């Protein structure tokens, strides 16, 4: 969108796949491969391929001129093919007629896009590896790190930070798996000619298609997909999904980073997160960028879904709506992944504060355990009532719930002091937390 | 949303999975299975299971009372568990304390939801079969049915109706595959207790979880997913995607059904599509319902994606946002699929009109073929220029392009009369259309 | 969406305007008014009006039959007009032909919708009054209540709770103003006949339109708006906007309600917010419902915007997409407003805890003030650097910043002890807070 | 998004307001005005204002360096203020400390944004004038131009092209009115300091605010609006709304431009709309760009609504999500308006073809008129039945409905030949069409 915010919201490796130059290069890669494939199967003269391929250098073409002509033509392929033909004609006029032979604008643009998608998918995978590695390490290291489990933003019962991280890891694997699958499903040759029949190639269409796919190392689709965009829309949804997963992680972390919680901090490299007005503050800069991406991604994914109602063989608007939206989703996914990798690798944690926060409710998180222990004797309602009264007393008197309960005769009759102590020991109230961590770390679900 | 429009926008088989009664029943199925599983592994008394299971009958509970208490409690599980406990207590007071043992509200609601999702997924599959069968038949039958290929809503070159249908089939298979995969990925036991540790079950959590999953015939998740909703959001996106695919088909058909095109008609059973003011009109009723669903689905899918930023162990809003949105997406997907099945099975076609429409441009769709045939001799620019002049003359003089070209000396020198005739024979200008149909009909891509 | 969650997410007064019965009644109100208006201007026999109006009783018509026929007809008006005609024919066969005279289905449905919108708008206004009154009171009462201003979820400098509330009030007024304006702009007679010309009424169309508008007490539009939906989409956006404003307030409050902050609490009437597993918890039930609405509303507003591309004189899908979406937005707006009114009227606050939280950062929020005071002497960079070092020391040594600074010789040279004391007095560091509150309370911006 | 597609999807005059340079310049305008205002009221030394203002030249600052530092800082203001301070320090070290005095990053960025919004709003108004003028002319010129009214994409009854255009005009006025109002409501000074209290300015905050607002010729807000974004979200919705209105017009026109309809054509300047593969085609290039914008705008508007849940005094993500989304909506609104202006000014129409299309249904559009004429004699059901039979006969026999009806004895008994002739004269079946046009052209509704 803007050079000024590209580094904040995007990631250079992913953005490189969607730069204007990269788009041009991908389109020219299609034209070169088309000429080679057609020369190979004899649809165009063998001698035409090399001069055409030689002219398929992005640097030969001026972006402003292309942009200007694209406004008249309605897409980039029409002026590019014209310029390419003229370029070929300079040195090899006999080859010029065979430029773009039998193809249509959308063949070039869509296949070029698929080449860009494949490259961007690889770029995302690199940061995903960093994220998974960092989360695996954190889950291992903090399998016993006690903290408050929070539901509806209120302290519930103890969990471990390792369990929280294992959950993130499970989610981020799923999200990336969706992106990988969606990339694989979307990246395919587009080659159908004017209306998806390859009519200009008469009975050689499928043969050229195969040769072209081989040249480009792209799978073929069973039929052209000019106006059937389910794989593009699915890719957009997968990217939004993974951004959403990272947004959940960032949300947990900005909440843990609150002044009142102070359990985790985004790493502060090179003065990152400084505030212009408040020298003591360390702002969650990268987390905020991830969260901003998560606010934006659903609307972008919806735009791709909304554009699917494409008319007949090639659409009057829905396709064009994709041109900037899919790259934007990749950009935001790339930026979110890069921020996440940096943050999770350098995450600063304060386990003592986690424990202190857990203790601040003075035993209330263990009310459930006490209730459960009393239900067999008192029934659900009875146990609830007893504990509720005690909990209220604890809150009112600012005392620890264990202290209040230990003075209760009924409790004394039903639970030994040791049993009561045990119920309030967070490390013994973790249930299956370690088991769950193990199941996640054992490998993909 | 409304009883009045349920039949128009929904499908009874899918809606049945998401009725209020079905929701209640699914939640009670969880409670019954939990009691049985816990009795089986010995976490609750063996004698408690049967009375609890016996009380898990949806008809025993009043919806209005549940609704009223849900407003206080913030979810349905809290009042339902209270009522269930009271119900059990009537006949088996000793079993009552063991109702909902160790579980949390979200365990009941999410697992119940998964049971509903599985049922709705099956319902969708039935209509999908009808759609695929109808499209396969149409693609076979109309493999040679000529019609105008249309790009940007303008006639381009000839295609066959079979090719158009094969494209639809390829898309609708993909879309349904996405839904099926997403259902399979989403349908899993939710069982984590208050904060995802199953703390109340102490060291028996995983064991109970396994037994419960077996009871419910649901797969387990590696860890509770209370606040990690990527599989729910992915399911919503998949449903929106398939609605989008059906929306593309419906768009093509309403366009073909236009008075000016008149190539296809939605079947008119029982006065379907009559107009209140215009007795001669036949309105595309079902197609319009599909298109309405396609307008709505992207926003609903976006809502699920937007809700993913769920806080900590259980969210304060994002989860609650799902409750009505996912069922709505299933409803729209069900309605769209049912309409599509009915329409495609009974589709009325007018191949003669398709051919007449193709001919109305008096040879212009074959301009590309002529251009291609002339490029080797005249170069791209030269061939384009010649054909463009001829095309303009044909339009101005309201004559057939072939006639205009046959009078052109340059054309006469380069193309024989037979060759020219051949270039204007649509049946010979179909390129790889039949090949593409074959590749689609050969099986899933 | 569901009887079970209607009370949680909706508001009875608003929902009443959009019930199936209300929809039917509104459509019948149109038909009765049409007959009266046409009888009055002499377009239909004077004697026809009363029997038609008499049959316009919603209770005379069966919803299931209407729903079933609506699936065939594509809308509710076609079967309703048929049933109404049959009903009139029972007692007044001579009046029956004049039912729905010259009108089209969409005239009935859209005008009926506008009557419903007007009613729902009034219902929203009642809760808005409660919200504004509660916020005004809170802003007054807490104009001096100190609390931490938080930016990026970190303590910044002191504010007052009254200032926060004044901001909410300013926003909620704007949002409701947008809804009121949008309702006023949207509520208009729809009356155009089959294609927007009132052709059936020949030269009496405008006259009938005026009489009908008078009957219904609705303004006329300059021309029928069957396929021009900007006012409906604008209304949806305004509702989503106000939901968004309430979502911001709810977000602030759930954050203040966090266990670690504990500054504010949703009122707990009748066991509201109890947790099934944790007897000590009080969950933010109503706030969560508001936040869920805020997650959902943007997608719904987007659906209305996406449906605007309606074809020609009446659309094939876009209009139908509105039927359930606009009522859903009203429902969520109604539910959010009702929850907000209840919560703000009964909000429980803990000013002591607010102050304690403000103090927990041991003077860091006043770093900016010290920095500003030092800039004239030390320059921006110098002042920043000095305070940053002191702030880090304060954090590391867990001491108050004021104490650290008071030991700094440079500070001592530049600031007197009194000046330093003053800089750390939150009540003297509120700048224009009171002034801003006054500007908001002075009246609408 | 991309230089390559900026001209296709954007408009230079609007884009100029949102270029990186313009953003920088607007931020610097704030800083210069702040210094002047503070010098004026005596909050900073009078001598500091000129050197600061002199350094507020966008060309002095390097975008790449800003972009790079923005990634660390989390926004553009922090590095810009640093660079500006350094720049001032070069020539006027004594003024440097007073740069950005008392302000926070968001004050600069938001106020800068408002200056950009005002400029972009003016740019939109210019194209809006062209659009309204063109539509007014068309409505006048074609007040009598007969064409088929189309509902659900089927011919209904006759309308005039002037009536269709008058509807567009009414909508486009409303949409632009919404944008203008929203711009006016959004464009306000943002000035609150670190947490919205202007604490650094002690008791001079409101005074400085007033002087600053005067300097910038911006209205003040009653209180800072750092985390209350309803006016920004409302502006986004208004832009999406107007894009939606233009999308409806573009949809009508691409449908009229279909080969089968051929009633209207986008002007073809400079080879605009040529097809790479089909020399005879003229593609709706500008209309397609408008429609693409209309597909994208709802998702973008939804993103702004979704971002409204901003936490406390300054948000951790929601604000940042706006930075690229609002400019993108302006860009698409600008591009759509520019295309619309060009297309409507040069629209090529074929009234003869409109009339021919109207006639192609051989009298069926007049079936309603005949039915209405027969209802008083035959009743609604009887009249419908008679006309339905005749209409089916006309279709089956490919005859004109009038001819079929004229042979019907019952019709003959009820309607004279002249009356029948009159019922089939489209020019006499226009009802209130001219009246509606007059009401629209008479002025804003």
């Amino acid at each position: 969108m803007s050079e000024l915010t590209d580094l904040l919201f995007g990631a250079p490796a992913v953005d490189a796949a969607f730069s204007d130059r990269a788009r041009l290069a991908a389109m020219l890669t299609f034209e070169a491969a088309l000429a080679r494939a057609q020369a190979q199967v004899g649809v165009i003269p063998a001698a035409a391929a090399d001069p055409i391929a030689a002219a398929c250098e992005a640097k030969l073409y001026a972006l402003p001129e292309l942009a200007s002509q694209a406004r008249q033509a309605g897409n980039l392929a029409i002026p590019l093919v014209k310029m390419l033909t003229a370029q070929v004609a300079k040195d090899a006029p006999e080859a010029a007629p065979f430029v773009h032979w039998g193809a249509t604008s959308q063949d070039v643009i869509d296949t070029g896009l698929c080449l860009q998608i494949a490259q961007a998918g690889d770029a995302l995978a690199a940061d995903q590896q960093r994220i998974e590695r960092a989360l695996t390490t954190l889950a291992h290291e903090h399998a016993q790190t006690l903290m408050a489990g929070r539901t509806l933003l209120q302290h519930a019962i103890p969990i471990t930070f390792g369990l929280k991280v294992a959950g993130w890891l499970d989610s981020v694997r799923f999200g990336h798996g969706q992106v990988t699958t969606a990339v694989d499903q979307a990246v395919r040759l587009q080659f159908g000619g004017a209306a998806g029949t390859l009519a200009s190639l008469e009975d050689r269409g499928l043969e050229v298609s195969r040769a072209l796919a081989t040249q480009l190392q792209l799978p073929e689709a069973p039929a052209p997909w000019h106006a059937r965009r389910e794989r593009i829309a699915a890719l957009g949804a997968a990217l939004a999904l993974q951004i959403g997963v990272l947004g959940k992680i960032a949300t947990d972390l900005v909440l843990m980073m609150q002044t009142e919680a102070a359990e985790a901090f985004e790493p502060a490299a090179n003065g990152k997160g400084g505030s212009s007005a408040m020298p003591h503050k360390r702002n969650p800069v990268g987390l905020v960028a991830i969260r901003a991406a998560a606010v934006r991604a659903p609307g972008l994914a919806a735009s791709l879904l909304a554009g699917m109602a494409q008319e007949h063989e090639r659409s009057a608007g829905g396709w064009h709506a994709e041109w900037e939206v899919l790259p934007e989703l990749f950009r935001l996914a790339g930026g979110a992944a890069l921020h996440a990798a940096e943050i999770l690798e350098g995450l600063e944690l304060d386990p003592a504060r986690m424990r202190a926060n857990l203790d601040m409710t003075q035993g209330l998180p263990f009310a459930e355990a006490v209730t459960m222990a009393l239900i067999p004797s008192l029934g659900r309602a009875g146990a609830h009532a007893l504990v509720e009264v005690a909990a209220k007393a604890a809150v009112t008197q600012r005392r620890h719930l264990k202290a209040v309960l230990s003075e209760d005769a009924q409790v004394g009759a039903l639970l030994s002091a040791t049993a009561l102590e045990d119920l309030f020991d967070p490390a013994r109230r973790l249930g299956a937390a370690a088991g769950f961590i193990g199941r996640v770390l054992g490998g993909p679900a």
Side-chain angles (χ1 to χ4, degrees), chain A residues 31-32 34-36 38-40 43-56 88 92-101:
Chain A
E31 297 291 355
L34 178 64
R36 288 213 182 87
Q38 291 181 326
Q40 181 190 316
V43 159
I44 67 169
D50 278 352
I52 292 175
C56 289
V88 171
E94 70 295 346
F98 301 104
V99 166
H100 191 65
W101 188 257

Side-chain angles (χ1 to χ4, degrees), chain A residues 368-443:
Chain A
E368 186 199 21
V370 179
T371 307
M372 293 291 288
L374 295 175
I375 285 178
S377 322
L378 304 179
R380 177 177 296 273
H384 262 250
L386 183 151
V387 176
E388 201 162 9
V389 167
K392 279 185 183 156
V395 169
T396 314
Q397 304 161 21
R398 298 174 184 263
R399 296 175 64 203
H400 199 283
L401 176 60
K402 186 170 59 179
V404 174
L405 285 168
S406 67
E407 294 167 4
D408 184 290
Q410 206 173 2
V411 171
L414 295 167
L415 298 171
S416 70
T418 321
L420 194 63
E421 196 68 37
D422 182 87
L423 287 168
F424 280 89
D425 178 356
R428 305 193 60 159
R429 304 259 65 80
L430 290 170
F436 287 139
I437 297 174
R439 297 210 297 204
V440 172
L441 293 183

Side-chain angles (χ1 to χ4, degrees), chain A residues 29-38 40-41 107 111 114-115 187-192 198 201 204-222 225:
Chain A
T29 298
F30 172 90
E31 297 291 355
L34 178 64
R36 288 213 182 87
Q38 291 181 326
Q40 181 190 316
V41 304
D107 293 338
T111 303
C114 285
L115 296 170
V187 171
R188 302 183 305 165
L189 179 66
Q190 176 70 284
F191 189 50
L198 290 174
L201 300 176
R204 309 292 300 277
L206 295 186
E207 190 184 353
V208 171
S209 177
R210 272 189 298 274
L212 176 55
T214 304
Q215 280 285 340
L216 291 166
Q217 298 185 288
L218 286 176
E220 286 186 273
W225 44 280

Side-chain angles (χ1 to χ4, degrees), chain A residues 47-348:
Chain A
D50 278 352
I52 292 175
C56 289
E57 283 287 334
K59 65 174 182 246
L60 296 171
Y61 305 95
L63 297 183
E65 197 182 336
L66 267 169
S68 165
Q69 293 191 24
R71 187 174 200 274
Q72 297 303 313
N75 67 54
L76 286 166
I78 294 175
L80 181 60
V81 168
K82 266 190 210 153
M83 290 184 201
L84 172 59
T85 304
Q87 180 68 28
V88 171
K90 282 185 198 166
D91 293 325
E94 70 295 346
F98 301 104
V99 166
H100 191 65
W101 188 257
T104 194
S105 299
Q106 193 166 353
D107 293 338
V108 195
I109 294 173
D110 278 347
T111 303
L113 175 69
C114 285
L115 296 170
Q116 293 176 279
I117 290 171
Q119 181 186 338
D122 289 345
L124 283 177
D127 284 327
Q128 175 70 14
Q129 274 202 326
R130 293 175 59 189
I131 292 170
E132 291 191 18
R133 205 176 304 126
L135 289 173
T136 302
T137 303
L138 286 169
H140 273 296
E141 286 178 357
H142 294 282
Q144 309 296 330
T145 304
L146 287 163
M147 71 185 299
R150 295 171 175 103
T151 64
L152 290 89
L153 289 170
Q154 305 229 306
H155 284 199
I157 59 171
I159 63 165
T160 61
F161 183 61
L163 178 61
K164 186 185 281 273
V165 169
W168 296 346
L169 177 58
D170 183 52
S171 294
V172 93
R173 273 184 196 147
F174 178 82
H176 186 68
Q178 295 288 103
V179 172
T180 303
T181 301
V183 165
D184 288 349
Q185 288 171 337
V187 171
R188 302 183 305 165
L189 179 66
Q190 176 70 284
F191 189 50
T197 59
L198 290 174
S200 314
L201 300 176
E202 314 220 331
D203 58 354
R204 309 292 300 277
L206 295 186
E207 190 184 353
V208 171
S209 177
R210 272 189 298 274
L212 176 55
T214 304
Q215 280 285 340
L216 291 166
Q217 298 185 288
L218 286 176
E220 286 186 273
W225 44 280
H226 292 135
R228 301 182 296 109
R229 314 301 290 185
E230 56 275 5
R231 289 163 194 250
I232 297 297
L235 176 53
L239 291 165
L241 195 82
Q242 178 69 332
I243 293 168
V245 167
L246 297 173
K248 187 268 186 286
I249 298 174
T251 296
D252 283 0
L253 284 171
V254 289
L255 290 172
M256 292 173 69
M257 215 172 142
Q258 287 174 105
T259 305
E260 289 88 355
E263 299 178 346
F265 303 92
E266 181 173 333
N270 313 318
K272 193 177 174 187
S275 160
S276 69
M278 291 160 287
H280 66 288
K281 273 189 74 181
R282 205 202 301 168
N283 285 326
V285 170
L287 294 170
V288 161
I290 296 172
R291 282 165 56 84
V295 169
R296 294 173 58 186
L300 294 169
S303 297
L304 292 178
L305 289 165
M308 288 179 70
Q310 302 200 356
E311 304 87 359
H312 292 313
E313 280 58 68
R314 294 221 311 271
S315 92
W319 176 49
H320 313 76
E322 298 170 5
W323 295 351
E324 300 184 333
V325 175
L326 188 70
E328 188 64 36
L329 275 164
F330 263 110
R331 175 175 175 259
L332 295 177
L338 180 55
H339 278 298
E342 291 177 3
I343 292 165
L344 294 170
E345 286 174 350
L347 195 63
E348 297 174 24

